[in-house]
Amino acid sequence: MFPARLRAGAPLVLAVLALSGCSSHWGCTDTTAERGKAGVRVQIEDVYERPVGVTAEVVDWRLEPHPQVPSEGDQVHFRFRFYGADESSGPGVDACAVDKKRMALGCRTVYSSEAFGPGGDPTGDEWLAVEHPERVAGVLLIPNDQSYDRRTCEQDIKDGGGPHPPKPAGRGDLL
């Protein structure tokens, strides 16, 4: 008698569990923020496209051989500055060398924590190796904060999901 009652109530229990959130796919949604407009000076945005109170700027750039690998020829050497960030933590943005049409020739993420030098100057420098350095017309920053790396639903169905920064910029992207 007991097994028959148990079998009769099993569909009801499963329905209650599914409605209560115990289903494996309930409530986990990944969203990706839209890529912001690149510029030489940008207001950094979080994954909800709201300003975080930090501005990033390309101070200058030039083509020259990297001092550690001069045999590789010219690379893009650029300086950047973060305003409103502190030394210990902060946002990161994609920096891209672009041609006249704003097509990315090479990109990397730079973080505000990398910018602080002696005396608290919020200026840093980086190098970008590009295939055709003679095509570089400038260096642009993309305003999306890349420091926020939340787990996806695929990685963790229970605690993953939610907003994510856009895919980092790469060679060939139009900015």
Side-chain angles (χ1 to χ4, degrees), residues 46-96:
D46 64 13
V47 292
Y48 298 102
E49 299 176 17
R50 296 181 304 222
V52 298
V54 177
T55 300
E57 177 182 27
V58 175
V59 177
D60 64 20
W61 68 273
R62 61 190 168 279
L63 294 174
E64 61 186 3
H66 191 288
Q68 294 176 337
V69 284
S71 62
E72 292 182 7
D74 283 345
Q75 294 185 20
V76 181
H77 184 203
F78 68 99
R79 290 186 331 123
F80 57 94
R81 179 173 286 142
F82 282 85
Y83 302 95
D86 61 36
E87 293 183 41
S88 60
S89 64
V93 294
D94 289 334
C96 297

Side-chain angles (χ1 to χ4, degrees), residues 3-15:
R5 282 187 189 168
L6 185 60
R7 280 190 304 243
L12 179 62
V13 170
L14 290 175

Side-chain angles (χ1 to χ4, degrees), residues 6-28:
L6 185 60
R7 280 190 304 243
L12 179 62
V13 170
L14 290 175
V16 169
L17 287 174
L19 291 173
S20 69
C22 293
S23 171
S24 65
H25 291 85
W26 186 83
C28 193

Side-chain angles (χ1 to χ4, degrees), residues 104-172:
L105 302 172
C107 300
R108 70 173 305 131
T109 304
V110 294
Y111 296 91
S112 62
S113 58
E114 298 170 333
F116 286 88
D121 178 23
T123 304
D125 73 305
E126 274 297 338
W127 295 83
L128 283 167
V130 296
E131 194 172 327
H132 297 284
E134 69 281 359
R135 292 179 41 201
V136 176
V139 176
L140 300 177
L141 301 174
I142 301 172
N144 308 98
D145 182 5
Q146 293 290 337
S147 66
Y148 184 73
D149 187 20
R150 184 180 177 105
R151 296 179 66 78
T152 64
C153 291
E154 186 176 290
Q155 293 166 327
D156 186 346
I157 193 75
K158 181 175 177 266
D159 298 321
H164 301 276
K167 180 181 167 199
R171 185 178 305 149

